[in-house]
Amino acid sequence: NSVTCRYYVSTSGGFSGNNDVSAKVFSNGALIGSPILGSQNNVAFDIPLGTSIEVKFSVNNSWYFGPSTITLKDNAMAIVGTASESHPGGQVSMEKTVINVTATCALPYSVTYSWSPAAGLASPGSQTTIASPVVNTNYEATIEMTSSPFCKVKTNTVNVRAGCIPLPVDWLYFNANKFLGDKAILDWGTANEVNVAYFSVERSFDGVQFQSIGVVNATVKGGQNKYQFIDADPLKGHNYYRIRQVDSDGQNHFTDIRFIDFSSSWDVVVYPNSSIDYFTVQLVNAFDMESELSVFNLLGHEIEYHSLNADVHTIAIGSNWEVGVYILKVIQGNEQKIIKLIKEGE
């Protein structure tokens, strides 16, 4: 950004001779002006921000009377330097530095930023912004610096290119379910696989510390792909699963976490399951809580209901039982077991 600050030089005082008396103004050592002493008021100079300003009395073989004064003011018309010289008589030649300061713009001082195009930018009016383009985009940043009442500003622009890098794979779904009672089956789907090496199936007991329990190689083909993995020996209790996709360059990308609970190991045993007068129902490894037992015929009508507080219960076959097949349902908490019963004929 190129910013120049406005400065003013004023001269006053008396002199005589050939009028070759001036205030020479230098910026970073380069002469930028020479107002004549005695009658110049607020001669403006634009000095680059941060550079040196040097003002010299310059007399070239002149009759010089004094006192004569040079005054330097900033862009807010505040005096930042003043000096006086006096020579009572006789011809004189001289050049003398009387003021030396660094250019700065007086407060209030502000900087504004604008980015173009604004689409895809989180804060197009801020110094720092986050770009989320859908395609590769060139952004132009414009910086403006202003100060009151005068600080001459040259606006600068900066070009920035933001790239749009696609993820190596699009996750379509990830499911985890119980399989055959004591196993877990995981299946997931992907699309647009790029640079994918393999998938690591990871399991955790607490949802924080994961370990790999298997690897599935990527098909790496266009369109949609389906994958499956069976955990034949899940942990007793809580099981957290996720899939870690590993790229050919070693980068990782993860699915969300899925949960399966294998903490319930209770079961129901019925003997005999084919009878003419009674069934004995035994709860194995049941929780210490009340259970509910129901018997339904094939029409879905409930013909028996019992609240169980013991692990062993006997169901007497009454007159409302006809010969045929029945369904026994035992409920503990939020889990249930289903067993088929057969009422034999006499």
Side-chain angles (χ1 to χ4, degrees):
N1 196 35
S2 178
V3 180
T4 56
C5 300
R6 179 66 57 87
Y7 279 82
Y8 301 92
V9 175
S10 297
T11 64
S12 64
F15 62 91
S16 63
N18 60 5
N19 293 336
D20 196 8
V21 181
S22 63
K24 290 187 177 181
V25 181
F26 296 82
S27 174
N28 268 7
L31 180 64
I32 59 175
S34 301
I36 299 297
L37 245 66
S39 59
Q40 304 293 309
N41 187 42
N42 293 333
V43 179
F45 295 92
D46 291 327
I47 313 295
L49 179 67
T51 61
S52 65
I53 307 171
E54 186 179 12
V55 183
K56 296 182 178 181
F57 269 115
S58 179
V59 182
N60 184 17
N61 195 29
S62 295
W63 292 95
Y64 186 91
F65 301 95
S68 296
T69 303
I70 297 176
T71 302
L72 180 67
K73 301 176 183 178
D74 64 14
N75 64 299
M77 301 302 290
I79 296 176
V80 295
T82 185
S84 296
E85 286 292 326
S86 176
H87 291 278
Q91 287 185 311
V92 64
S93 293
M94 61 170 290
E95 190 166 285
K96 178 181 180 181
T97 299
V98 292
I99 301 174
N100 197 341
V101 297
T102 300
T104 182
C105 288
L107 296 175
Y109 188 86
S110 63
V111 182
T112 59
Y113 304 87
S114 61
W115 294 81
S116 179
L121 296 179
S123 304
S126 300
Q127 179 181 7
T128 302
T129 187
I130 298 175
S132 302
V134 296
V135 295
N136 293 339
T137 304
N138 286 326
Y139 292 97
E140 184 179 74
T142 301
I143 305 101
E144 293 183 343
M145 302 180 70
T146 58
S147 182
S148 178
F150 295 104
C151 182
K152 191 174 181 180
V153 177
K154 292 182 180 179
T155 301
N156 194 26
T157 58
V158 178
N159 289 316
V160 180
R161 181 173 178 84
C164 182
I165 303 175
L167 290 176
V169 68
D170 292 332
W171 298 105
L172 300 180
Y173 60 87
F174 172 44
N175 300 315
N177 296 285
K178 288 184 178 181
F179 178 63
L180 298 178
D182 60 349
K183 300 175 177 60
I185 184 169
L186 315 178
D187 59 284
W188 62 96
T190 67
N192 304 319
E193 291 185 8
V194 178
N195 196 34
V196 180
Y198 61 90
F199 299 93
S200 175
V201 181
E202 298 185 344
R203 185 181 66 194
S204 168
F205 69 93
D206 60 359
V208 178
Q209 300 177 1
F210 283 86
Q211 290 185 336
S212 178
I213 59 173
V215 170
V216 178
N217 291 326
T219 58
V220 193
K221 63 181 182 180
Q224 298 183 1
N225 304 298
K226 297 180 179 179
Y227 298 92
Q228 188 177 90
F229 181 87
I230 295 177
D231 183 7
D233 189 23
L235 302 173
K236 301 299 182 183
H238 294 177
N239 288 258
Y240 297 86
Y241 294 96
R242 71 181 183 188
I243 306 299
R244 177 168 61 95
Q245 171 231 311
V246 182
D247 302 343
S248 299
D249 58 5
Q251 296 293 316
N252 297 314
H253 304 275
F254 295 89
T255 63
D256 293 334
I257 296 174
R258 298 291 183 260
F259 171 75
I260 303 179
D261 187 2
F262 283 95
S263 58
S264 176
S265 58
W266 71 282
D267 206 350
V268 176
V269 177
V270 177
Y271 50 91
N273 64 350
S274 177
S275 177
I276 60 173
D277 52 1
Y278 71 92
F279 297 100
T280 298
V281 178
Q282 181 177 353
L283 277 59
V284 180
N285 296 327
F287 297 108
D288 186 15
M289 60 186 301
E290 186 176 83
S291 304
E292 296 179 355
L293 181 154
S294 298
V295 178
F296 299 85
N297 60 26
L298 294 183
L299 297 177
H301 299 151
E302 185 181 72
I303 64 171
E304 294 278 347
Y305 174 82
H306 302 271
S307 179
L308 308 181
N309 292 305
D311 291 341
V312 180
H313 182 80
T314 299
I315 303 175
I317 299 177
S319 59
N320 58 335
W321 290 58
E322 298 180 354
V323 175
V325 176
Y326 293 84
I327 301 300
L328 170 67
K329 179 193 293 186
V330 180
I331 299 176
Q332 263 217 332
N334 59 358
E335 293 192 11
Q336 64 180 18
K337 305 291 184 180
I338 304 295
I339 296 178
K340 182 177 69 174
L341 304 178
I342 299 176
K343 164 62 167 66
E344 297 178 345
E346 298 183 6

